[in-house]
Amino acid sequence: MTPPPALPDTTALLHAALVHHAAGRTAQAEALYRAILRSEPDNHRALGMLAIILSDGLDAAEAETILLRHLALRPDDGASLHRLGRLRAQSGDDAAAADLYRRAALALPSLAPIHNDLGVSLHRLGRGREALEALDRAVALDTAYAAAHGNRGFVLLEMQRFDEATDALLAALTSGAGAED
């Protein structure tokens, strides 16, 4: 009787998945993360990386399921909190998104996109002053972050702070793409 084939080492699978992921071969990376999770359902690294891929895809429900599984194992993981916040914002639940972004900001305080997204959700909730504070933080963390400058400009326009709004919108144009809000 021949022994069953040896299962690939999880560390080797994870390394291969990360190489594929970094090279933009997300289908291959996703397959490897799923293979790891079949043998180790609570592998937080594979869950976290799979969550990144899925949250950028079309299946928001599966992405949410994986993010929640990851957060059950790592409740303070800033990246998963941020991505779950984005899913909540996309579904129109900016109050839940803002709470998740705040938690993400505690875990990753120097990540400007978290503060930008918090500002956008707060703006949508009609909380202009808090939105401006979050957007000011995003711009302070990354002075070339065009979306944060643009979103800050929109908030300042609503506050009728026209000179500052003009400066922010010009900064968005000279920094790159534009606003996300």
Side-chain angles (χ1 to χ4, degrees), residues 128-159:
R129 289 199 188 284
E130 292 174 75
L132 187 57
E133 288 173 13
L135 294 165
D136 285 345
R137 178 76 178 136
V139 168
L141 289 168
D142 184 352
T143 57
Y145 192 9
H149 283 290
N151 290 326
R152 186 174 177 274
F154 292 136
V155 171
L156 288 164
L157 277 173
E158 283 191 4
M159 298 173 115

Side-chain angles (χ1 to χ4, degrees), residues 6-21:
L7 294 174
D9 177 34
T10 300
T11 303
L13 283 177
L14 185 60
H15 175 73
L18 291 170
V19 168
H20 284 301
H21 201 155

Side-chain angles (χ1 to χ4, degrees), residues 31-41:
L32 290 171
Y33 295 137
R34 289 182 188 279
I36 293 166
L37 293 170
R38 279 192 293 277
S39 63
E40 294 181 31

Side-chain angles (χ1 to χ4, degrees), residues 101-116:
Y101 294 145
R102 281 197 168 100
R103 288 178 53 201
L106 290 174
L108 298 170
S110 62
L111 193 62
I114 293 172
H115 298 280
N116 177 69

Side-chain angles (χ1 to χ4, degrees), residues 19-181:
V19 168
H20 284 301
H21 201 155
R25 297 184 298 267
T26 56
Q28 294 91 332
E30 179 180 342
L32 290 171
Y33 295 137
R34 289 182 188 279
I36 293 166
L37 293 170
R38 279 192 293 277
S39 63
E40 294 181 31
D42 290 336
N43 185 302
H44 70 90
R45 288 183 182 92
L47 280 168
M49 297 308 292
L50 179 59
I52 290 170
I53 290 172
L54 295 177
S55 65
D56 288 336
L58 299 176
D59 191 345
E62 184 182 17
E64 181 176 341
T65 297
I66 297 297
L67 285 164
L68 291 172
R69 280 180 56 199
H70 186 242
L71 287 168
L73 297 170
R74 299 276 193 248
D76 297 323
D77 184 272
S80 286
L81 290 165
H82 184 210
R83 289 193 176 269
L84 186 57
R86 283 187 168 178
L87 289 177
R88 294 286 190 265
Q90 288 167 3
S91 72
D93 189 353
D94 282 299
D99 289 340
L100 288 161
Y101 294 145
R102 281 197 168 100
R103 288 178 53 201
L106 290 174
L108 298 170
S110 62
L111 193 62
I114 293 172
H115 298 280
N116 177 69
D117 293 345
L118 174 59
V120 170
S121 282
L122 291 169
H123 180 226
R124 289 182 187 147
L125 291 168
R127 295 160 57 184
R129 289 199 188 284
E130 292 174 75
L132 187 57
E133 288 173 13
L135 294 165
D136 285 345
R137 178 76 178 136
V139 168
L141 289 168
D142 184 352
T143 57
Y145 192 9
H149 283 290
N151 290 326
R152 186 174 177 274
F154 292 136
V155 171
L156 288 164
L157 277 173
E158 283 191 4
M159 298 173 115
Q160 298 184 2
R161 292 167 58 179
F162 301 116
D163 290 340
E164 292 172 86
T166 301
D167 291 342
L169 293 170
L170 286 172
L173 291 172
T174 59
S175 295
E180 293 178 8
D181 187 10

